[in-house]
Amino acid sequence: MAIAAIAVYDWPESWPDLLPFLLKLIGDQTSMNGVHGGLRCLALLSGDLDDTMIPTLVPVLFPCLYTIVSSSQTYNKYLRTKALSVVYACTSMLGAMSGVYQVETNVLMEPMLKPWLDQFSFILEHPVQPEDTDDWSIRMEVLKCLNQFVQNFPSFNESLFMVIVGPLWQTFVSSLSVYTRSSIEGTEDPYEGSYDSDGAEKSLDSFVIQLFEFLLTIVGSTKFVQVVANNIADLVYYTIAFLQVTEQQVHTWSMDANQFVADEDDVTYSCRVSGALLLEEVATCCGGDGIDAIINAASKRFSESQQEKAAGSVVWWRMKEATLFALASLSEQLLEAEVSGLTKVSIGNLLEQMITEDMGIGVHEYPFLYARMFISVAKFSSVMSGGILEHFLLAAMKTIGMDVPPAVKVGACRALSQLLPEAKKNTIEPQMMGLLSSLTDLLHRASDETLHLVLETLQAAIKAGHESSASAEPIISPIILNMWVLHISDPFICIDAIEVLEAIKNTPGCFLPLASRILPYIGPVLNKPQQQPNGLVAGSLDLLTMLLKNAPTDVVKAAYDVCFDAIIRIVLESDDHSEMQNATECLASFVSGGRQELLFWGSDSGFTMRSLLDAASRLLDPDLESSGSLFVGSYILQLILHLPSQMGQHIQNLIVALVRRMQSASIEGLRSSLLLIFARLIHLSAPNVEQFINLLMTIPAEGYQNAFVYVMSEWTKQQGEIQGAYQIKVTTSALALLLSTRHPELTNINVQGHLIKSISGITTRSKAKSAPDQWTIVPLPAKILALLADALIEIQEQVRDAEDEDSDWEEIHGDMDSDKDLLSSAAATPFGRSGYEHLEAMAKAYNENQEDEYEDNILSVTDPLNELNLANYLADFLSKFSQSDQQLFENLCQCLTRAQQDAIKIALNR
């Protein structure tokens, strides 16, 4: 440890003798202590090797390590394992380098691959030994090295790979019998959580996980998947057996429902999780053959479990549970395959057969199988018959209130979360009050992971409950509010609790009763923020924002009377960034919900407006930390949208403050949100956009000629990073408005163009400092046109993702290579479908994609620009712009890439 610690700083420059000394030590067979110490030292050092040392080190070091690994008579497994760990560390670094130095790393490794593979084969070809941690450890290091070889060295080809296929299969198959006895049945020691003296894990689980990881790499490799393609059926068949619940899991899950939920959510890494990932890779990479292999293997394993059951085995349920777990883990791929006709067998029929066979089993005898059946029915509800779904839905509703093992309740909750939204009202209504009551009771006994699940289920139940939910509101709301307070320091539980309250709020007839419970509680909290427990003020503001969302005016007014002044004070006085952020969102909701009426709710309308402006002033203070100002953009946006005449008087001061806040901001998201304000102001200034540009030119900006130059240099850098359909629509269309003015100042401004490829090699910190990224400089109009083209490219790509366009894009692309003049080619290129139809498809795909990725702020919905069809808007703009000044348009297009020019052509060909 001491030598390795010194070497990190001194080797090789100040200690050139260290490596020869260590090599001599590990090569001296007369002193095993020396070999032992030298290898451990190298193993510690190998983690700190960089791209300058490795190429000179490997040719000298690897022959010494090879001698140790290949001399099983002389060196024990522990020493050979340590030698392999050094090989792995070096090949990992070579792998990282291969991205840049592919030829050099390949030349370095090629002569060594065959000898090493022979050694790896020798280690893997013997059956895996039970209760032999050294055997598991050496195989684990071999698998780690092989993983690097497969991923990083092109000279590792199919013929070399064939050398290890047989031995690898022997290790895989023989490890299952050892794993079954040690982990699943628990009759032998799996050495769970066992480590060697250097801290390396040496349990059977860690070895099996490494085995799956290597198999995953092979299946995911287009080069090697063909080699194992003939054995895919066997691979899947054996993998399902590895997914069986272990004796340790049965014990842990029976005692601790939280651990069961955590393991189900893939929070912990285990053989079940990594085995399921391998099956997922098979389904993804092997197409119909992979899907058929999975279904056939599942069918075979199901039959085996039924035979075991008939023979009187007490553990017959394990294989069936593992089979259902495997299928449920792949539900998305299997359902997709069924819809597209990729599979010959109906997954719905197979599952119904598997589930109906054991519908009458005892809940207490087989809790984990019962839980898995609930979960499987929910995952495959779209292909199950109505009768089965109804049976399990009603069974799940009853189970929540019964005295059954915790795992079964977990399965029932998961089933209800997915089945209730689609359930028929008349089926569930008679049971609904009982379910809401049982879930509420369950809340008192749940903790951590299970609490999250129960709240999620309660939310689904409330949404599905209609009249029952309204009747239960007086019981549920106080309990959830109390739970929210108790868990105020746990953000995940708080979010879940607020979502349940939001579901109650959205139930007809519940808005006002819920508001009458929330407001009297949070009013005193917000009025005396210093006296509250940590997190309660920020949490109360979050709760109030939820209440104000889509609230009727009388609720917004009631909240104003109780909380408005206190929220203004929090913005002006608090130093807690969470409080400031949530208070800012609250104020935005007040302005959005109250609009002009808001100004007349207090005794002095002028005072309310001044309060709103004071809050804006504090949030735009350039000396305030960026995190405190994070949501100021959304707030200012509401002020200019809903109080335009009042804000119009302060526009110059607002712009000065926006520029100063932008210049001092250290968070990109804050800068982007402030750019959105500039974009919205440009729209508001239309048709007099030139006057807005002139105003910006009169305002100073530190380090720049004026505010316009600064804003445009920042905007053109950030536009590609702006997220959300609404934000992109507003900013992109505002850029088009700017370009349409042809203001003379536009051509005087140069901005950042595209990245110039930097010098080759791995970018280290020192290299990045001495040679930072370099960019081209382009005129602002050309950059704006390039950004508009980029927006079109993104929309067009989303259309292609949303539908299988067979020829439109490709035909046009083919025609373009010979075109020189953009306008004439645009006029000449026919479009396969009508321009309007294509643009509508573009707008639809774009909106859907953006909504999936970013849940746009509810406050943006009130802006008419949210309805803008961006594809249509850009096409209209480009058409008018190109016709009004053809020469300018052609000149600007010369600065674009081929892809950008192509995108503009498609838009012009409506």
Side-chain angles (χ1 to χ4, degrees):
M1 283 297 290
I3 289 169
I6 295 164
V8 169
Y9 298 98
D10 289 5
W11 178 73
E13 295 85 2
S14 307
W15 200 354
D17 301 337
L18 177 62
L19 185 63
F21 173 74
L22 290 175
L23 291 177
K24 188 179 171 197
L25 262 186
I26 66 172
D28 184 358
Q29 294 186 10
T30 62
S31 169
M32 281 299 152
N33 286 340
V35 177
H36 190 269
L39 277 173
R40 289 181 71 168
C41 199
L42 279 167
L44 288 166
L45 275 176
S46 59
D48 289 301
L49 299 172
D50 65 21
D51 59 321
T52 56
M53 298 181 205
I54 286 282
T56 52
L57 181 61
V58 165
V60 219
L61 179 60
F62 272 34
C64 299
L65 297 173
Y66 181 81
T67 304
I68 293 170
V69 174
S70 60
S71 308
S72 55
Q73 305 302 318
T74 312
Y75 301 98
N76 62 26
K77 279 180 183 167
Y78 174 81
L79 291 175
R80 290 162 66 216
T81 303
K82 272 287 163 252
L84 283 168
S85 73
V86 179
V87 173
Y88 168 70
C90 293
T91 47
S92 295
M93 177 46 76
L94 282 171
M97 291 166 61
S98 66
V100 179
Y101 302 111
Q102 192 166 45
V103 176
E104 294 87 338
T105 53
N106 218 25
V107 167
L108 187 64
M109 284 302 294
E110 192 169 6
M112 305 186 200
L113 289 176
K114 181 70 169 69
W116 277 111
L117 287 174
D118 290 338
Q119 279 311 307
F120 294 164
S121 300
F122 176 72
I123 293 166
L124 295 176
E125 69 188 2
H126 304 289
V128 174
Q129 298 303 302
E131 300 194 56
D132 184 348
T133 55
D134 287 341
D135 179 60
W136 306 338
S137 295
I138 194 167
R139 288 174 198 261
M140 194 154 88
E141 289 302 329
V142 164
L143 293 166
K144 284 161 70 178
C145 292
L146 280 170
N147 221 355
Q148 292 300 320
F149 285 15
V150 168
Q151 288 175 316
N152 299 318
F153 307 125
S155 51
F156 186 74
N157 53 30
E158 289 90 326
S159 62
L160 282 172
F161 180 59
M162 291 308 292
V163 174
I164 59 134
V165 169
L168 176 66
W169 189 251
Q170 171 70 0
T171 286
F172 180 58
V173 174
S174 63
S175 64
L176 176 58
S177 55
V178 175
Y179 184 73
T180 302
R181 290 194 304 276
S182 298
S183 294
I184 296 169
E185 294 169 359
T187 54
E188 292 171 0
D189 191 351
Y191 291 89
E192 196 160 312
S194 183
Y195 298 86
D196 69 16
S197 59
D198 291 338
E201 194 174 356
K202 53 183 203 177
S203 67
L204 183 59
D205 261 34
S206 55
F207 158 59
V208 174
I209 288 168
Q210 189 60 56
L211 182 55
F212 277 134
E213 194 172 314
F214 181 51
L215 289 167
L216 191 105
T217 302
I218 293 168
V219 172
S221 157
T222 48
K223 188 159 56 168
F224 299 119
V225 69
Q226 298 310 318
V227 179
V228 293
N230 296 333
N231 293 32
I232 282 294
D234 287 339
L235 178 68
V236 171
Y237 174 76
Y238 282 106
T239 300
I240 289 174
F242 275 105
L243 305 185
Q244 291 175 88
V245 178
T246 66
E247 193 58 35
Q248 179 64 46
Q249 284 168 329
V250 169
H251 176 73
T252 306
W253 293 346
S254 301
M255 305 292 289
D256 184 2
N258 278 315
Q259 194 57 49
F260 179 60
V261 175
D263 290 347
E264 284 294 294
D265 288 338
D266 296 356
V267 172
T268 49
Y269 207 45
S270 64
C271 291
R272 267 165 84 89
V273 173
S274 46
L277 288 173
L278 175 60
L279 294 178
E280 209 174 293
E281 196 74 3
V282 168
T284 305
C285 299
C286 302
D289 292 341
I291 297 285
D292 283 339
I294 289 162
I295 293 174
N296 292 334
S299 186
K300 201 170 167 185
R301 287 297 189 188
F302 165 58
S303 301
E304 288 170 9
S305 74
Q306 295 308 110
Q307 288 162 15
E308 281 187 43
K309 182 183 175 186
S313 164
V314 291
V315 292
W316 66 272
W317 62 271
R318 278 187 170 152
M319 192 62 83
K320 180 168 180 182
E321 192 276 344
T323 307
L324 286 171
F325 174 76
L327 294 173
S329 301
L330 303 168
S331 57
E332 283 182 30
Q333 286 105 317
L334 292 173
L335 290 170
E336 209 173 287
E338 181 136 320
V339 169
S340 57
L342 260 182
T343 173
K344 306 181 187 83
V345 185
S346 164
I347 187 69
N349 291 346
L350 173 63
L351 271 155
E352 287 201 9
Q353 184 196 348
M354 290 174 75
I355 282 165
T356 50
E357 192 81 34
D358 292 309
M359 265 167 38
I361 60 166
V363 176
H364 290 274
E365 292 89 338
Y366 307 108
F368 301 110
L369 177 56
Y370 220 94
R372 187 64 48 210
M373 285 160 65
F374 273 134
I375 293 165
S376 302
V377 169
K379 290 259 189 181
F380 290 98
S381 58
S382 62
V383 290
M384 306 285 266
S385 68
I388 294 269
L389 288 178
E390 191 169 313
H391 170 87
F392 273 93
L393 176 62
L394 294 173
M397 292 174 84
K398 285 177 189 160
T399 298
I400 298 293
M402 289 164 59
D403 179 21
V404 294
V408 182
K409 291 200 180 192
V410 168
C413 280
R414 291 201 185 282
L416 290 170
S417 293
Q418 291 194 257
L419 296 178
L420 281 172
E422 305 297 323
K424 292 177 185 161
K425 187 179 172 186
N426 58 347
T427 304
I428 59 174
E429 199 158 15
Q431 310 288 335
M432 211 62 215
M433 281 304 283
L435 174 64
L436 290 168
S437 172
S438 300
L439 284 169
T440 309
D441 289 343
L442 205 53
L443 282 174
H444 298 303
R445 299 198 295 279
S447 62
D448 301 341
E449 305 283 349
T450 46
L451 187 56
H452 168 76
L453 182 64
V454 176
L455 285 168
E456 194 179 85
T457 313
L458 185 58
Q459 187 187 339
I462 289 164
K463 286 178 178 176
H466 307 292
E467 292 84 1
S468 303
S469 301
S471 308
E473 187 277 332
I475 302 160
I476 298 173
S477 295
I479 291 170
I480 298 295
L481 275 168
N482 192 42
M483 178 157 292
W484 170 78
V485 175
L486 284 173
H487 293 87
I488 199 71
S489 57
D490 183 331
F492 298 107
I493 299 297
C494 277
I495 289 167
D496 289 337
I498 287 178
E499 284 176 351
V500 171
L501 292 170
E502 187 163 22
I504 294 171
K505 179 190 88 170
N506 294 334
T507 301
C510 291
F511 211 131
L512 290 173
L514 183 65
S516 67
R517 289 180 211 288
I518 290 175
L519 291 176
Y521 177 77
I522 62 175
V525 171
L526 298 178
N527 275 291
K528 293 185 178 172
Q530 290 85 4
Q531 296 171 20
Q532 308 308 324
N534 195 22
L536 187 58
V537 173
S540 299
L541 290 162
D542 221 5
L543 184 60
L544 181 57
T545 303
M546 178 279 291
L547 189 68
L548 291 172
K549 197 190 296 179
N550 296 326
T553 311
D554 53 344
V555 171
V556 182
K557 166 81 167 68
Y560 174 93
D561 293 339
V562 174
C563 308
F564 181 78
D565 290 348
I567 294 169
I568 292 287
R569 277 197 303 277
I570 289 167
V571 172
L572 295 179
E573 296 169 11
S574 177
D575 292 321
D576 182 303
H577 292 176
S578 299
E579 290 177 10
M580 292 183 71
Q581 289 171 10
N582 293 1
T584 310
E585 287 193 295
C586 242
L587 287 181
S589 297
F590 269 121
V591 176
S592 176
R595 307 194 179 192
Q596 292 285 338
E597 290 176 54
L598 178 80
L599 301 180
F600 303 101
W601 286 341
S603 54
D604 176 1
S605 67
F607 175 76
T608 302
M609 191 65 215
R610 279 197 303 280
S611 298
L612 293 169
L613 289 171
D614 286 344
S617 180
R618 166 100 203 270
L619 293 166
L620 290 174
D621 181 348
D623 297 327
L624 184 66
E625 279 189 51
S626 295
S627 177
S629 302
L630 198 55
F631 299 133
V632 67
S634 172
Y635 172 51
I636 304 285
L637 187 65
Q638 298 315 303
L639 289 175
I640 61 176
L641 286 175
H642 300 303
L643 306 173
S645 57
Q646 288 83 356
M647 290 303 291
Q649 305 164 33
H650 306 283
I651 206 74
Q652 184 155 353
N653 291 337
L654 174 64
I655 290 170
V656 170
L658 286 169
V659 169
R660 290 173 65 201
R661 177 68 277 196
M662 261 178 79
Q663 289 203 296
S664 70
S666 58
I667 299 175
E668 275 194 18
L670 174 56
R671 283 201 292 273
S672 296
S673 70
L674 298 181
L675 284 170
L676 179 67
I677 307 300
F678 282 107
R680 198 62 191 82
L681 288 171
I682 287 167
H683 279 282
L684 289 170
S685 69
N688 304 310
V689 179
E690 295 92 334
Q691 290 177 17
F692 185 71
I693 295 173
N694 292 337
L695 172 61
L696 282 175
M697 288 169 61
T698 65
I699 292 168
E702 192 179 334
Y704 291 82
Q705 200 175 336
N706 55 53
F708 183 58
V709 176
Y710 166 67
V711 169
M712 293 320 299
S713 67
E714 197 60 42
W715 190 343
T716 49
K717 272 188 247 173
Q718 292 267 352
Q719 182 63 31
E721 305 303 316
I722 288 173
Q723 298 173 343
Y726 169 75
Q727 288 83 342
I728 291 170
K729 283 177 185 178
V730 174
T731 51
T732 307
S733 51
L735 286 172
L737 279 174
L738 284 173
L739 190 56
S740 67
T741 64
R742 295 186 191 73
H743 193 290
E745 183 65 12
L746 293 176
T747 52
N748 296 334
I749 298 172
N750 290 318
V751 294
Q752 186 174 288
H754 61 265
L755 185 63
I756 300 168
K757 283 274 184 264
S758 59
I759 48 175
S760 60
I762 293 173
T763 305
T764 58
R765 276 191 292 263
S766 58
K767 201 180 282 185
K769 205 177 260 184
S770 62
D773 287 339
Q774 292 183 308
W775 299 76
T776 58
I777 299 297
V778 296
L780 178 58
K783 179 67 177 184
I784 291 177
L785 189 60
L787 290 169
L788 301 182
D790 287 342
L792 284 170
I793 289 171
E794 189 179 346
I795 298 169
Q796 289 159 0
E797 280 174 355
Q798 283 159 16
V799 174
R800 293 212 305 286
D801 291 342
E803 56 180 66
D804 290 321
E805 278 191 315
D806 38 32
S807 61
D808 290 351
W809 179 261
E810 287 80 359
E811 282 173 10
I812 290 166
H813 214 282
D815 293 344
M816 284 176 176
D817 291 340
S818 57
D819 293 332
K820 294 288 183 284
D821 182 296
L822 196 69
L823 278 177
S824 58
S825 68
T829 314
F831 216 0
R833 63 208 280 185
S834 80
Y836 175 76
E837 187 188 333
H838 187 77
L839 286 166
E840 283 303 305
M842 283 165 73
K844 182 170 180 287
Y846 179 73
N847 278 336
E848 282 173 2
N849 185 286
Q850 290 295 336
E851 280 160 20
D852 284 347
E853 286 187 34
Y854 310 103
E855 188 187 344
D856 270 343
N857 193 317
I858 192 84
L859 303 173
S860 63
V861 175
T862 55
D863 188 344
L865 285 182
N866 208 32
E867 303 304 313
L868 184 80
N869 177 324
L870 189 58
N872 258 337
Y873 183 92
L874 290 176
D876 286 340
F877 163 75
L878 289 166
S879 176
K880 288 174 190 161
F881 187 66
S882 60
Q883 287 165 17
S884 63
D885 194 335
Q886 184 174 342
Q887 189 57 51
L888 172 64
F889 183 66
E890 287 293 345
N891 289 342
L892 293 179
C893 286
Q894 297 306 310
C895 303
L896 304 182
T897 64
R898 170 44 58 90
Q900 289 168 338
Q901 291 177 2
D902 292 353
I904 287 176
K905 271 183 207 177
I906 290 175
L908 287 171
N909 267 288
R910 291 186 295 164

